[in-house]
Amino acid sequence: MAAQEVAAQPSDTLATLKTESETLKTKLEEERAKLHDVELHQVAEKIEALGQFVMKTRRTLKGHGNKVLCMDWCKDKRRIVSSSQDGKVIVWDAFTTNKEHAVTMPCTWVMACAYAPSGCAVACGGLDNKCSVYPLSLDKNENLAAKKKSVAMHTNYLSACCFTNSDMQILTSSGDGTCALWDVESGQMLQSFHGHAADVLCLDLAPSETGNTFVSGGCDKKACVWDMRTGQCVQSFETHESDINSVRYYPSGDAFASGSDDATCRLYDLRADREVAIYSKESIIFGASSVDFSLSGRLLFGGYNDYTINVWDVLKGTRVSILFGHENRVSTLRVSPDGTAFCSGSWDHTLRIWA
Amino acid sequence: MTIRSDRDHGQRYRPRMSCLKKVEAIVVQMQDPSTGVKGADQKLNVTTIPHAITGQVIIAWIAKNMNMDSDEAQAFGTMLVAFGYIYPLQDHKKLVLKPDGSLYRFQTPYFWPVQKWKAEDTDYGFQSYLSIYLAKRNIRKKGVLDAYEQKKTYDYYRRIIIYTQQAVMRSRVKSSVSLGALVKYMTTFKNHDPFLVPCLPSNPWQTDNDSYWELNMTDVEVPTKMRVERWSFSFYELLNDPRGRADFKVFLKKEFSGENLAFWEAAEELKWGTAASMSEKAEHIFKTFLAPGAPRWINIDGRTMGLTVKGLEHPHRYVLDAAQTHIFMLMKKDTFYRYLKSPVYKEIQKKAISPEPHNFSDSQLQQNMRNRRPSISPIITWQKEQEEKAKAAAAAGPIDIKKLMASKLDRK
């Protein structure tokens, strides 16, 4: 804290500081507007429209005893890990629908889970304020909880977790308003990220070769881009009208999408430093809980609290499809690593694979 | 009981549920005597049920007045039932709106969701709880903050000022340029997106046949044409695909310039590795790639070399960043393009296969569904990869003359 303080000027009053910060914020918006020479829909005019889509549920994974809260794909493109409110974390081969591993967490409400890049471990956590890593075993009878490693410790619930490029580091976000990077082996905190004014609900790692940034979204309606090396917030966007439930990078890493309780999804361009599209409809009233892009970035899939999944044309801003099937809120949605399908998890206790 | 207005019936309600305000406005409209849903006494067997409406009538009203097709109207109607604005008279357990003659009734506003919830301070998360706590304390003290709290708010604004100043000075790109890049990416990858163009031979999820995955495995001898094409899109795509990276290594071996990629890979391992192994890895990298006369010496400019070597005196995770970026850019801007024009790449392009699309009959699809093949556990694949890596490292490592002589002496 001491390193961040600016030398106090006796003549500064609270009022002058407040005015100065407001003036600067206006200046920032002016600077952003100066380079805004074209709208996304104008650029989209030259591109041909998409055809009709036939997306169906190809698999329904049943086995959780309560609301499914989170899921993640394995790099092998067919296995997934899912976590639910009953404290169970299950690893499935989604192709055959076989359950391969199951862990019972000591706490219920496992709100976050992630598959390690090697495919040899899973991480999960939730209301226990921790993120734990469980190495998976080929022995079906082995009790996975025995080898559990407690990695992250927050002062409030764990909302999201994600491995970096290796099994050795985990990025977490929490209801305590911070994100943190942890060394798995030692449980040491390598970096912490402060800047959100309320619970951080989601995060996503940038898919670039440099792999040094990530984006987070929170209940303060802000989406922040962070430098993993320095812990600094390098860009932030505050255009949503309610909590941001989900953030996901565009495949090139130059933009990201967000889904919010204000029933809209938005696209933010990082190089132009502005929001460039809003995906919304009068008839969509309930919040978006989870978003992800298709492989080329042309489609944006959004899971909503009204039990549906809307598929958006990222360029044209129109909805190309609406998918029904879940019998309760869609809480989590991820596209598979090779883009052949996406998986949605819901409060109706099931997961569905769509293609 | 019919409702004529949507004046706030609750005391306070959670901002997160502001969507319910929109829903309530619609529910009020639905009960308008002239333009609302036409209710009537419904006959069920021999009894008459008063003030009841059927599911299909509700769905028709929603579809017409909210400009939706019937599937969406049914989904929206289910929300009304789920939140209790409409309740089913017959099947109480499943809160859905059925598109048939099932009977429903409007709920009185007394039982609307907003009535029950009293927003608690802790609903908004810890930080907001703290600010509400402080605000309440503030009111108690009649608006006078003590010295500590004053300092807190000064810092709060100063932090915003510093951040916004930096943000204003950040370099930006014109919208036309950045949006153009997004469109270019979409166009380049269009044919590789299984949702836009069917993948060959077929999408495993659709046909229950996993040939697509078999043909695109990490260690496959002959890759597919699509995969080889993808390597040419960007250096990142080439490196990201282990098969592509392997082919690139073949090219580098022919040019005797494998040390650049080896250094980059070693630097990645340092960056993403465990904290405990860092200094050991840093030392190994220094000995192998950076020290004067090192066996795999990399060619970086003097300034970067100087900075890196100095940094290695007290190694940290990002100590090789400058050198790694330099080498990466070198490979990206020069070596990568030479690779694409090289005989190695041209050969793999020729060898690459283009599978024919599957054309399964219905009975074949049924059979596929019964015979879904399991796959090797990623744990086994990972163990194998580690063994291969260890072998390769042992083979490529610099020969330790002392050890070699010692072992020869031992044998004597």
Side-chain angles (χ1 to χ4, degrees), chain A residues 36-37 59 78-79 166 168-169 183 207 229 234 236 243 250 269 273 294 296 307 319 338 340, chain B residues 16 72 79 163 170 172-173 175-176 178 182 193 203 208 213 236 271-272 274-275 317 321 373 375:
Chain A
H36 185 57
D37 54 349
R59 302 283 190 281
R78 49 188 285 169
R79 282 175 174 76
S166 79
M168 300 300 145
Q169 288 174 24
D183 177 70
R229 277 191 57 170
V234 292
S236 69
D243 306 356
Y250 183 79
D269 184 330
D273 192 28
S294 71
S296 65
Y307 314 0
R319 180 178 66 187
D338 63 355
T340 48
Chain B
R16 251 172 255 171
E72 234 190 306
M79 286 294 106
Y163 170 77
R170 187 186 312 132
R172 277 172 203 87
V173 157
S175 289
S176 52
S178 61
L182 289 183
D193 188 337
N203 187 324
D208 289 320
W213 288 329
Y236 175 68
K271 206 159 54 163
W272 306 115
T274 68
R317 191 169 296 275
D321 251 17
R373 277 199 297 199
S375 70

Side-chain angles (χ1 to χ4, degrees), chain A residues 8 205 239 336:
Chain A
L205 263 177
T239 60
S336 77

Side-chain angles (χ1 to χ4, degrees), chain B residues 207-267:
Chain B
T207 59
D208 289 320
N209 177 294
D210 62 357
S211 304
Y212 179 69
W213 288 329
E214 287 287 301
L215 293 170
N216 285 298
M217 286 185 74
T218 311
D219 51 0
V220 77
E221 174 69 41
V222 181
T224 62
K225 278 209 164 25
M226 290 294 275
R227 194 175 182 180
V228 174
E229 184 193 44
R230 201 167 157 177
W231 299 343
S232 68
F233 291 163
S234 77
F235 189 44
Y236 175 68
E237 288 293 324
L238 176 67
L239 280 190
N240 219 18
D241 183 351
R243 185 63 185 80
R245 200 189 284 203
D247 204 54
F248 188 55
K249 280 187 184 157
V250 169
F251 168 71
L252 291 176
K253 211 165 164 197
K254 295 218 161 122
E255 294 225 320
F256 299 102
S257 59
E259 71 276 358
N260 283 345
L261 186 61
F263 172 73
W264 184 83
E265 284 183 333

Side-chain angles (χ1 to χ4, degrees), chain A residues 1 5-6 8-9 12-14 17-18 20-21 24-25 27-28 31-32 35-40 43 47 50 53 55 58-59 73 77-79 94-96 118-120 136 138 156 164-166 168-169 176 183 185 188 190 197 199 207-212 228-229 233-236 243 250-252 261 269 271-274 283 285-286 294-299 301 305-307 314-315 319 322 324 338-342 353 355, chain B residues 15-17 19-20 22-23 26 66 68 71-72 75-76 78-79 82-83 94 124-128 150-151 153-155 157-165 167-168 170-183 185-187 189-190 192-196 199 203-206 208-210 212-213 216 230 236 264 268 271-276 316-318 321 328 332 372-380 382-383:
Chain A
M1 171 100 168
E5 278 179 43
V6 178
Q9 306 290 327
D12 285 344
T13 61
L14 214 55
L17 281 182
K18 190 167 177 196
E20 193 184 335
S21 77
L24 272 173
K25 279 188 184 163
K27 181 132 194 273
L28 176 59
E31 288 296 309
R32 279 174 162 169
L35 290 172
H36 185 57
D37 54 349
V38 74
E39 296 286 338
L40 182 61
V43 178
I47 310 297
L50 295 167
F53 286 96
M55 281 177 229
R58 305 288 174 172
R59 302 283 190 281
W73 288 89
K77 308 154 196 174
R78 49 188 285 169
R79 282 175 174 76
F95 188 66
T96 56
S118 68
C120 300
L136 298 173
L138 290 167
N156 209 324
T164 60
N165 287 7
S166 79
M168 300 300 145
Q169 288 174 24
D176 64 11
D183 177 70
E185 189 98 356
Q188 191 194 0
L190 300 171
D199 309 22
S208 71
E209 53 239 16
T210 46
N212 280 338
M228 276 166 72
R229 277 191 57 170
C233 171
V234 292
Q235 268 174 295
S236 69
D243 306 356
Y250 183 79
S252 72
D261 272 347
D269 184 330
R271 291 165 69 202
D273 192 28
R274 59 182 301 116
S283 55
I285 295 179
F286 291 87
S294 71
L295 190 142
S296 65
R298 182 68 192 269
L299 298 175
F301 302 104
N305 292 341
D306 64 0
Y307 314 0
V314 171
L315 265 190
R319 180 178 66 187
I322 176 169
F324 306 99
D338 63 355
T340 48
F342 70 88
I353 310 282
Chain B
R16 251 172 255 171
M17 284 308 205
C19 53
L20 289 185
K22 289 187 200 164
V23 175
I26 294 167
M66 290 185 69
M68 293 180 188
D71 280 330
E72 234 190 306
F76 182 74
T78 298
M79 286 294 106
F83 279 101
K94 251 198 144 189
Y124 301 100
F126 180 68
Q127 294 291 359
S128 314
Q150 272 186 326
K151 189 158 168 287
T153 348
Y154 275 124
D155 278 336
Y157 283 118
R158 285 211 186 88
R159 229 171 290 169
I160 294 182
I161 289 168
I162 296 173
Y163 170 77
T164 323
Q165 275 169 342
V168 166
R170 187 186 312 132
S171 65
R172 277 172 203 87
V173 157
K174 275 200 266 190
S175 289
S176 52
V177 173
S178 61
L179 293 177
L182 289 183
V183 173
Y185 188 94
M186 266 181 225
T187 321
F189 282 86
K190 177 171 172 224
H192 295 255
D193 188 337
F195 279 103
L196 300 179
C199 56
N203 187 324
W205 302 103
Q206 291 173 348
D208 289 320
N209 177 294
D210 62 357
Y212 179 69
W213 288 329
N216 285 298
R230 201 167 157 177
Y236 175 68
W264 184 83
E268 282 287 282
K271 206 159 54 163
W272 306 115
T274 68
H316 58 89
R317 191 169 296 275
Y318 304 108
D321 251 17
F328 186 83
K332 182 174 167 174
R372 288 174 190 159
R373 277 199 297 199
S375 70
I376 309 176
S377 167
I379 302 172
I380 298 179
W382 174 253
Q383 284 171 346

